[in-house]
Amino acid sequence: MNENGKARIQVSIKMREEIIISPQLTCSASYPPQTPYSYCVPLIKHIMSGKLICVVGATGNQGGSVARRFLKAGFRVRGLCRNPQSAAAEKLASEGVEVLSIDLNDAATLAPAFHGANIIFSVTNYWEPFMRSDYREKAREQGISCRRIAYDVEYLHGKNIADAAAIVVDQLDANGFLVSTLSHARKSSSGKYKELYHFDAKADIFPDYVEENYPALAAKMSCIHTGYFFTSYNILPNSYFAKASRLINPHALPRFTILIN
C-alpha cells in the first residue's frame, strides 16, 4: 500500500527464465481506478494464458459452465467427456476447448488426461445411472435399489477422479482441485436420513475419501456445494412447477406469496 492507501501491483512474467514483460502496473483500490480496466484485463488474461484447467464432465450443466467461464478468463481449457463426437462436445471444441475422451469407470484413462493441468474441476453424476434401464436391471439382479446402484456408480467415478488427481497433485496449483459435492445427509442428520444417496455418494469421496487417503491433495481441494440451479426445472418440469391450482388454494395464501403457473 502507498501513502494514499492505493495498492501497487508489480507484474513480472517470466518465460524460460527470461523476463519478456516487466511493466510497473499501478492499480487503484479506490474509485475511480487509475489504471484502465481495458488494460488490466488483457494483461491478466496474458498471465493466465499459460494455465491449464481440466474440466471433468465438460459437456454437462456444471462442467460446461465452468469450462466456458475459465475460457473467457484466458485459461487453456481441456474438456473431458465420454463422447467427444456429441453435439455439446463439438460446440465446446468450436469455442476453443480441447476435448478429450475419458471413461470414469476406468481410472487408467484419467491420469493421462490430467497431465499438465494446473487446476482440475470435478463433477460426478448420480442421476444418469439412476435413470438408465441397464443399471436398473443390474440393481434387480443384485437385489438392491436403483438408488443404491446409482450411489455405487457415482462413488466409483469420484474415487477414480480422486485417485488420478493424486497422481498429478504436485503439478496442481495451491487451490487447484475444485470439486462439486454436497453435504453428507446421513452424518448431518445423525443417521435419520440413510438413503439420500445423491448427497452421500459425493460427500463420501469429496471430502472424506480424499482427506483419509491423500492429504496432499486434500490440502489443494475446495469443495463447492451447488444444490440447485435455476435451470433444474427443465429436468422434471411437472415436479418442480406443477400448476398451483392442483396443490393449494390460492385464496388461502398469505400476502406477497408468488404463484408460479
Side-chain angles (χ1 to χ4, degrees):
M1 304 291 285
N2 63 18
E3 66 277 4
N4 296 319
K6 297 177 181 178
R8 293 186 59 85
I9 304 173
Q10 293 187 346
V11 179
S12 179
I13 303 172
K14 290 187 177 181
M15 184 176 292
R16 296 178 183 174
E17 302 303 320
E18 295 179 1
I19 298 177
I20 58 171
I21 301 176
S22 185
Q24 301 301 308
L25 174 63
T26 302
C27 289
S28 173
S30 61
Y31 185 86
Q34 290 183 342
T35 304
Y37 178 79
S38 59
Y39 177 74
C40 285
V41 170
L43 182 58
I44 293 170
K45 284 188 175 182
H46 183 89
I47 297 170
M48 293 297 102
S49 64
K51 297 281 188 177
L52 172 65
I53 178 171
C54 287
V55 180
V56 178
T59 54
N61 189 26
Q62 285 190 55
S65 178
V66 169
R68 289 181 172 89
R69 185 64 187 87
F70 274 84
L71 193 66
K72 186 177 179 181
F75 283 74
R76 292 185 297 126
V77 178
R78 182 179 295 157
L80 310 179
C81 63
R82 181 174 48 205
N83 180 14
Q85 281 74 49
S86 69
E90 290 180 350
K91 188 172 188 305
L92 283 173
S94 70
E95 296 171 10
V97 174
E98 176 194 3
V99 179
L100 290 184
S101 174
I102 59 167
D103 181 0
L104 291 178
N105 292 305
D106 182 4
T109 69
L110 291 171
F114 290 160
H115 178 72
N118 304 106
I119 301 172
I120 295 170
F121 174 81
S122 162
V123 59
T124 50
N125 190 341
Y126 171 91
W127 295 108
E128 183 188 11
F130 176 81
M131 296 289 189
R132 276 175 47 173
S133 59
D134 55 338
Y135 280 115
R136 292 194 169 219
E137 180 60 32
K138 288 180 181 179
R140 282 191 289 270
E141 293 172 358
Q142 296 176 27
I144 59 177
S145 68
C146 55
R147 298 188 305 279
R148 175 67 203 201
I149 200 165
Y151 167 93
D152 292 342
V153 172
E154 186 175 24
Y155 183 94
L156 174 64
H157 290 177
K159 179 180 181 298
N160 286 342
I161 292 167
D163 291 344
I167 295 173
V168 300
V169 64
D170 291 341
Q171 73 188 27
L172 296 178
D173 287 354
N175 190 35
F177 191 42
L178 311 178
V179 296
S180 178
T181 188
L182 290 171
S183 57
H184 201 290
R186 178 177 53 80
K187 293 178 181 178
S188 299
S189 66
S190 300
K192 181 178 180 180
Y193 300 110
K194 297 180 175 63
E195 294 191 6
L196 285 178
Y197 290 129
H198 59 297
F199 279 65
D200 294 355
K202 297 174 180 65
D204 279 339
I205 298 294
F206 310 116
D208 290 1
Y209 175 81
V210 175
E211 290 180 345
E212 291 169 6
N213 294 277
Y214 303 117
L217 184 62
K220 296 184 175 184
M221 178 174 64
S222 288
C223 292
I224 304 163
H225 291 226
T226 53
Y228 184 82
F229 305 100
F230 284 117
T231 55
S232 291
Y233 72 91
N234 287 319
I235 303 170
L236 296 169
N238 291 331
S239 297
Y240 280 93
F241 291 154
K243 289 287 186 180
S245 59
R246 299 182 201 163
L247 306 176
I248 52 179
N249 176 6
H251 301 291
L253 294 173
R255 292 180 64 189
F256 306 116
T257 298
I258 299 174
L259 292 178
I260 302 175
N261 288 291

